[in-house]
Structure formats: C-alpha cells, structure tokens
Coordinates of all heavy atoms in Angstrom, one line a residue:
M1 N 1.1 6.8 8.2 CA 1.4 6.5 6.9 C 0.7 5.1 6.5 O 0.6 4.3 7.3 CB 3.0 6.2 6.8 CG 3.8 7.4 7.2 SD 3.8 8.6 5.9 CE 5.5 9.0 5.9
Y2 N 0.3 5.2 5.2 CA -0.6 4.0 4.7 C -0.1 3.6 3.4 O 0.5 4.3 2.6 CB -2.0 4.5 4.7 CG -2.6 4.9 6.0 CD1 -2.6 6.2 6.4 CD2 -3.2 3.9 6.8 CE1 -3.1 6.5 7.6 CE2 -3.7 4.3 8.0 CZ -3.7 5.6 8.4 OH -4.1 5.9 9.7
V3 N -0.3 2.3 3.1 CA 0.0 1.7 1.8 C -1.2 1.0 1.3 O -2.1 0.7 2.0 CB 1.2 0.6 2.0 CG1 2.5 1.4 2.3 CG2 0.9 -0.4 2.9
V4 N -1.2 0.6 0.0 CA -2.3 -0.1 -0.6 C -1.9 -1.5 -0.9 O -0.9 -1.8 -1.5 CB -2.7 0.7 -1.9 CG1 -3.8 -0.1 -2.6 CG2 -3.3 2.0 -1.5
K5 N -2.7 -2.4 -0.4 CA -2.5 -3.9 -0.6 C -3.4 -4.4 -1.7 O -4.6 -4.1 -1.7 CB -2.7 -4.6 0.7 CG -2.5 -6.1 0.6 CD -2.4 -6.8 2.0 CE -2.2 -8.2 1.9 NZ -1.1 -8.7 1.2
V6 N -2.8 -5.1 -2.6 CA -3.6 -5.8 -3.7 C -3.1 -7.2 -3.8 O -1.9 -7.5 -3.8 CB -3.5 -5.1 -5.0 CG1 -4.1 -3.8 -5.0 CG2 -2.0 -4.9 -5.4
F7 N -4.0 -8.2 -4.0 CA -3.8 -9.6 -4.1 C -2.7 -10.0 -3.1 O -3.0 -9.9 -1.9 CB -3.3 -9.9 -5.6 CG -4.3 -9.6 -6.6 CD1 -4.1 -8.6 -7.5 CD2 -5.5 -10.3 -6.6 CE1 -5.2 -8.3 -8.4 CE2 -6.5 -10.0 -7.6 CZ -6.3 -9.0 -8.4
H8 N -1.6 -10.5 -3.5 CA -0.6 -11.0 -2.6 C 0.7 -10.0 -2.5 O 1.8 -10.5 -2.3 CB 0.0 -12.4 -3.0 CG -1.1 -13.4 -3.0 ND1 -1.6 -13.9 -1.9 CD2 -1.7 -14.0 -4.0 CE1 -2.6 -14.8 -2.1 NE2 -2.7 -14.9 -3.4
G9 N 0.4 -8.7 -2.7 CA 1.4 -7.8 -2.7 C 1.0 -6.4 -2.4 O -0.1 -6.2 -1.9
Y10 N 1.8 -5.4 -2.7 CA 1.6 -4.0 -2.4 C 1.9 -3.2 -3.6 O 2.6 -3.7 -4.5 CB 2.4 -3.5 -1.2 CG 2.2 -4.3 0.1 CD1 2.9 -5.5 0.3 CD2 1.2 -3.9 1.0 CE1 2.6 -6.2 1.5 CE2 0.9 -4.6 2.1 CZ 1.6 -5.7 2.4 OH 1.4 -6.4 3.5
I11 N 1.4 -2.0 -3.7 CA 1.7 -1.1 -4.8 C 3.0 -0.3 -4.6 O 3.1 0.2 -3.5 CB 0.6 -0.1 -5.0 CG1 -0.7 -0.8 -5.3 CG2 0.9 0.9 -6.2 CD1 -0.7 -1.6 -6.6
D12 N 3.9 -0.5 -5.5 CA 5.2 0.2 -5.3 C 5.2 1.6 -5.9 O 4.1 2.0 -6.5 CB 6.4 -0.6 -5.8 CG 6.4 -0.7 -7.3 OD1 5.5 -0.2 -8.0 OD2 7.3 -1.5 -7.9
K13 N 6.3 2.3 -5.8 CA 6.3 3.7 -6.3 C 6.2 3.9 -7.8 O 5.7 4.9 -8.3 CB 7.7 4.3 -5.9 CG 7.8 4.6 -4.4 CD 9.0 5.2 -4.1 CE 9.1 5.5 -2.6 NZ 10.4 6.1 -2.2
T14 N 6.4 2.7 -8.6 CA 6.2 2.8 -10.0 C 4.8 2.4 -10.4 O 4.5 2.5 -11.6 CB 7.2 1.8 -10.7 OG1 6.9 0.5 -10.3 CG2 8.6 2.2 -10.4
G15 N 3.9 2.1 -9.4 CA 2.5 1.7 -9.7 C 2.3 0.3 -10.0 O 1.2 -0.2 -10.4
H16 N 3.3 -0.6 -9.8 CA 3.2 -2.0 -10.1 C 3.1 -2.8 -8.7 O 3.5 -2.3 -7.7 CB 4.4 -2.5 -10.8 CG 4.5 -2.0 -12.2 ND1 5.3 -0.8 -12.5 CD2 4.0 -2.4 -13.3 CE1 5.2 -0.5 -13.8 NE2 4.3 -1.5 -14.3
R17 N 2.6 -4.0 -8.8 CA 2.5 -4.8 -7.6 C 3.8 -5.4 -7.3 O 4.6 -5.9 -8.2 CB 1.4 -5.9 -7.9 CG 1.2 -6.8 -6.7 CD 0.2 -7.9 -6.9 NE 0.7 -8.8 -7.9 CZ 1.5 -9.9 -7.7 NH1 1.9 -10.2 -6.5 NH2 1.8 -10.7 -8.7
T18 N 4.2 -5.4 -6.0 CA 5.4 -6.0 -5.6 C 5.1 -6.8 -4.3 O 4.2 -6.5 -3.6 CB 6.5 -4.9 -5.3 OG1 7.7 -5.6 -4.9 CG2 6.1 -3.9 -4.3
R19 N 5.9 -7.8 -4.0 CA 5.9 -8.5 -2.7 C 6.8 -7.9 -1.7 O 6.8 -8.3 -0.6 CB 6.1 -9.9 -3.0 CG 5.0 -10.6 -3.9 CD 5.1 -12.0 -4.0 NE 4.7 -12.6 -2.7 CZ 4.3 -13.8 -2.6 NH1 4.3 -14.6 -3.6 NH2 3.9 -14.3 -1.4
D20 N 7.7 -7.0 -2.1 CA 8.7 -6.3 -1.3 C 7.9 -5.4 -0.2 O 7.1 -4.6 -0.7 CB 9.6 -5.5 -2.1 CG 10.7 -4.9 -1.2 OD1 10.8 -5.2 -0.1 OD2 11.4 -4.0 -1.8
K21 N 8.1 -5.6 1.1 CA 7.5 -4.8 2.0 C 8.3 -3.6 2.5 O 8.0 -2.9 3.5 CB 7.1 -5.7 3.2 CG 6.1 -6.7 2.9 CD 5.8 -7.5 4.2 CE 4.8 -8.6 4.0 NZ 4.5 -9.3 5.2
S22 N 9.4 -3.4 1.9 CA 10.3 -2.3 2.2 C 9.6 -0.9 2.1 O 9.2 -0.6 0.9 CB 11.6 -2.3 1.5 OG 12.4 -1.2 1.7
P23 N 9.4 -0.1 3.1 CA 8.8 1.2 2.9 C 9.4 2.2 2.0 O 8.8 3.0 1.4 CB 8.8 1.8 4.4 CG 9.1 0.6 5.3 CD 9.8 -0.4 4.5
D24 N 10.8 1.9 1.7 CA 11.5 2.7 0.7 C 11.0 2.5 -0.7 O 11.1 3.4 -1.5 CB 13.0 2.4 0.8 CG 13.6 2.8 2.1 OD1 13.0 3.7 2.8 OD2 14.6 2.2 2.5
N25 N 10.4 1.3 -0.9 CA 10.0 0.9 -2.3 C 8.5 1.1 -2.5 O 8.1 1.1 -3.6 CB 10.4 -0.5 -2.6 CG 11.9 -0.6 -2.7 OD1 12.7 0.3 -2.9 ND2 12.4 -1.8 -2.3
L26 N 7.8 1.2 -1.4 CA 6.3 1.2 -1.5 C 5.7 2.7 -1.7 O 6.4 3.6 -1.3 CB 5.6 0.6 -0.2 CG 5.9 -0.9 0.0 CD1 5.3 -1.3 1.3 CD2 5.4 -1.7 -1.1
L27 N 4.6 2.7 -2.4 CA 3.8 3.9 -2.5 C 3.2 4.2 -1.2 O 2.2 3.6 -0.8 CB 2.8 3.8 -3.7 CG 2.0 5.0 -4.0 CD1 2.9 6.2 -4.4 CD2 1.0 4.7 -5.0
V28 N 3.6 5.3 -0.5 CA 3.2 5.6 0.8 C 2.3 6.8 0.8 O 2.6 7.9 0.1 CB 4.4 5.8 1.8 CG1 3.9 6.2 3.1 CG2 5.3 4.6 1.8
F29 N 1.2 6.8 1.4 CA 0.2 7.9 1.6 C 0.3 8.5 2.9 O 0.3 7.7 3.9 CB -1.2 7.4 1.3 CG -1.4 7.0 -0.1 CD1 -1.2 5.6 -0.5 CD2 -1.8 7.8 -1.1 CE1 -1.4 5.3 -1.8 CE2 -2.0 7.4 -2.4 CZ -1.8 6.1 -2.8
P30 N 0.2 9.8 3.0 CA 0.4 10.4 4.4 C -0.9 10.2 5.2 O -0.8 10.2 6.4 CB 0.6 11.9 4.1 CG 0.0 12.1 2.7 CD 0.2 10.8 2.0
D31 N -2.1 10.2 4.6 CA -3.3 10.0 5.4 C -4.2 8.9 4.9 O -4.1 8.5 3.7 CB -4.1 11.3 5.5 CG -4.5 11.8 4.1 OD1 -4.1 11.3 3.1 OD2 -5.2 12.8 4.0
R32 N -5.1 8.5 5.7 CA -5.9 7.3 5.3 C -6.9 7.7 4.2 O -7.3 6.8 3.4 CB -6.7 6.8 6.6 CG -7.4 5.6 6.3 CD -7.9 4.9 7.6 NE -8.5 3.6 7.3 CZ -7.9 2.4 7.3 NH1 -6.7 2.4 7.7 NH2 -8.5 1.3 7.0
K33 N -7.5 8.9 4.2 CA -8.4 9.3 3.2 C -7.9 9.1 1.8 O -8.6 8.5 0.9 CB -9.0 10.7 3.5 CG -10.1 11.1 2.5 CD -10.6 12.4 2.9 CE -11.8 12.7 2.0 NZ -12.0 13.9 1.4
S34 N -6.7 9.7 1.6 CA -6.2 9.7 0.2 C -5.8 8.2 -0.2 O -6.0 7.8 -1.4 CB -4.9 10.6 0.1 OG -3.9 10.2 1.0
S35 N -5.3 7.4 0.7 CA -5.0 6.0 0.4 C -6.3 5.2 0.1 O -6.3 4.4 -0.8 CB -4.2 5.4 1.6 OG -5.0 5.4 2.7
E36 N -7.4 5.5 0.8 CA -8.7 4.8 0.6 C -9.2 5.2 -0.8 O -9.8 4.3 -1.5 CB -9.7 5.1 1.7 CG -9.4 4.3 3.0 CD -10.4 4.7 4.1 OE1 -11.1 5.7 4.0 OE2 -10.4 3.9 5.0
E37 N -9.1 6.4 -1.2 CA -9.5 6.8 -2.5 C -8.8 6.0 -3.6 O -9.4 5.6 -4.6 CB -9.4 8.3 -2.7 CG -10.3 9.2 -1.9 CD -10.0 10.7 -2.0 OE1 -9.1 11.1 -2.7 OE2 -10.7 11.4 -1.3
F38 N -7.5 6.0 -3.5 CA -6.7 5.3 -4.5 C -7.0 3.8 -4.4 O -7.2 3.1 -5.5 CB -5.2 5.5 -4.2 CG -4.3 4.8 -5.2 CD1 -4.2 5.3 -6.5 CD2 -3.6 3.7 -4.8 CE1 -3.4 4.6 -7.4 CE2 -2.8 3.1 -5.7 CZ -2.7 3.5 -7.1
A39 N -7.2 3.2 -3.3 CA -7.5 1.8 -3.1 C -8.8 1.4 -3.8 O -9.0 0.4 -4.4 CB -7.4 1.3 -1.7
N40 N -9.8 2.3 -3.6 CA -11.1 2.0 -4.2 C -11.1 2.1 -5.7 O -11.8 1.4 -6.4 CB -12.1 3.1 -3.7 CG -12.5 2.9 -2.2 OD1 -12.3 1.8 -1.7 ND2 -13.0 3.9 -1.5
K41 N -10.2 2.9 -6.3 CA -10.1 3.0 -7.7 C -9.5 1.7 -8.3 O -9.8 1.3 -9.4 CB -9.2 4.2 -8.2 CG -9.9 5.5 -7.9 CD -9.0 6.7 -8.4 CE -9.6 8.0 -8.1 NZ -8.7 9.1 -8.5
I42 N -8.5 1.1 -7.6 CA -7.8 0.0 -8.2 C -8.3 -1.4 -7.6 O -7.8 -2.4 -8.0 CB -6.3 0.1 -8.0 CG1 -5.9 0.1 -6.6 CG2 -5.8 1.3 -8.8 CD1 -4.4 -0.1 -6.4
G43 N -9.2 -1.3 -6.6 CA -9.7 -2.5 -6.0 C -8.8 -3.1 -5.0 O -8.7 -4.4 -4.8
G44 N -8.1 -2.3 -4.3 CA -7.2 -2.8 -3.2 C -7.8 -2.5 -1.9 O -8.9 -2.0 -1.7
R45 N -7.0 -2.6 -0.8 CA -7.4 -2.2 0.5 C -6.2 -1.5 1.2 O -5.0 -1.6 0.8 CB -7.8 -3.4 1.4 CG -6.8 -4.5 1.6 CD -7.4 -5.7 2.3 NE -6.4 -6.7 2.6 CZ -5.8 -6.9 3.7 NH1 -6.3 -6.3 4.8 NH2 -4.9 -7.9 3.9
V46 N -6.5 -0.8 2.2 CA -5.6 0.1 2.9 C -5.0 -0.6 4.1 O -5.7 -1.3 4.8 CB -6.2 1.4 3.3 CG1 -5.3 2.2 4.1 CG2 -6.7 2.2 2.1
K47 N -3.7 -0.4 4.3 CA -3.0 -1.1 5.4 C -2.1 0.0 6.0 O -1.5 0.8 5.3 CB -2.2 -2.2 5.0 CG -2.4 -3.4 5.9 CD -1.6 -4.6 5.4 CE -1.7 -5.6 6.6 NZ -1.1 -6.8 6.3
S48 N -2.1 0.1 7.3 CA -1.2 1.0 8.1 C 0.2 0.5 7.9 O 0.5 -0.7 7.9 CB -1.6 1.1 9.5 OG -0.7 1.9 10.2
L49 N 1.2 1.4 7.8 CA 2.6 1.0 7.6 C 3.1 0.4 8.8 O 4.0 -0.5 8.7 CB 3.4 2.3 7.3 CG 4.7 2.1 6.6 CD1 4.7 1.3 5.4 CD2 5.4 3.4 6.3
E50 N 2.6 0.7 10.0 CA 3.0 0.1 11.2 C 2.6 -1.4 11.3 O 3.2 -2.2 12.0 CB 2.4 0.8 12.4 CG 3.1 2.2 12.7 CD 2.4 3.3 11.8 OE1 1.2 3.1 11.5 OE2 3.0 4.2 11.4
E51 N 1.5 -1.8 10.5 CA 1.1 -3.2 10.5 C 2.0 -4.1 9.7 O 2.0 -5.3 10.0 CB -0.3 -3.3 9.9 CG -1.3 -2.6 10.8 CD -2.7 -2.7 10.1 OE1 -2.9 -3.6 9.3 OE2 -3.6 -2.0 10.5
L52 N 2.8 -3.5 8.9 CA 3.8 -4.3 8.0 C 4.9 -4.8 8.9 O 5.5 -4.2 9.7 CB 4.3 -3.5 6.9 CG 3.3 -3.1 5.8 CD1 4.1 -2.3 4.7 CD2 2.6 -4.3 5.2
K53 N 5.2 -6.1 8.7 CA 6.3 -6.7 9.4 C 7.3 -7.1 8.3 O 7.1 -8.0 7.5 CB 5.9 -8.0 10.1 CG 4.9 -7.6 11.3 CD 4.6 -8.9 12.0 CE 3.6 -8.5 13.1 NZ 3.0 -9.6 13.8
V54 N 8.5 -6.4 8.4 CA 9.5 -6.7 7.4 C 10.3 -7.8 7.6 O 10.6 -8.2 8.8 CB 10.4 -5.4 7.2 CG1 11.4 -5.6 6.2 CG2 9.5 -4.2 6.8

C-alpha cells in the first residue's frame, strides 16, 4: 500500500493536503505504479504505508 506525500503532509481521501498520518484518512493506492502516476501529476512523491510512523 502506498500514499502520496506533498510538502509537509499527505493527500487525504478528499484530495486535500493533511498532516494526519492515519491510514484511515489517507488516499491509499494498492500498487506503486498507480501511486507514482498520481504523484507525478500533482508534483508529489510516493511513500510506502509501512514507512509511516503514526
């Protein structure tokens, strides 16, 4: 599972930036390829969900 990181936060399910690291609120991608495509469109980077420390 992967999330998209932008600036000092992450993209949530509504498409806005949030500092909340809760996986329940974040936009989660099942594979790296789809998350990288989205990150490239918005200028973010991909992070594995396991790398997040809540």
Side-chain angles (χ1 to χ4, degrees):
M1 302 280 226
Y2 297 92
V3 296
V4 175
K5 181 165 176 55
V6 290
F7 298 113
H8 297 288
Y10 299 89
I11 300 296
D12 67 3
K13 290 181 179 178
T14 63
H16 294 93
R17 184 180 63 86
T18 182
R19 295 187 75 160
D20 182 14
K21 294 182 181 180
S22 172
D24 296 334
N25 296 332
L26 296 178
L27 180 62
V28 178
F29 293 90
D31 60 352
R32 187 168 185 95
K33 184 177 186 220
S34 60
S35 61
E36 284 178 345
E37 289 174 1
F38 182 72
N40 288 336
K41 287 181 184 177
I42 65 167
R45 63 186 180 108
V46 175
K47 227 176 171 182
S48 174
L49 198 55
E50 291 81 32
E51 291 179 21
L52 294 181
K53 295 180 182 174
V54 177

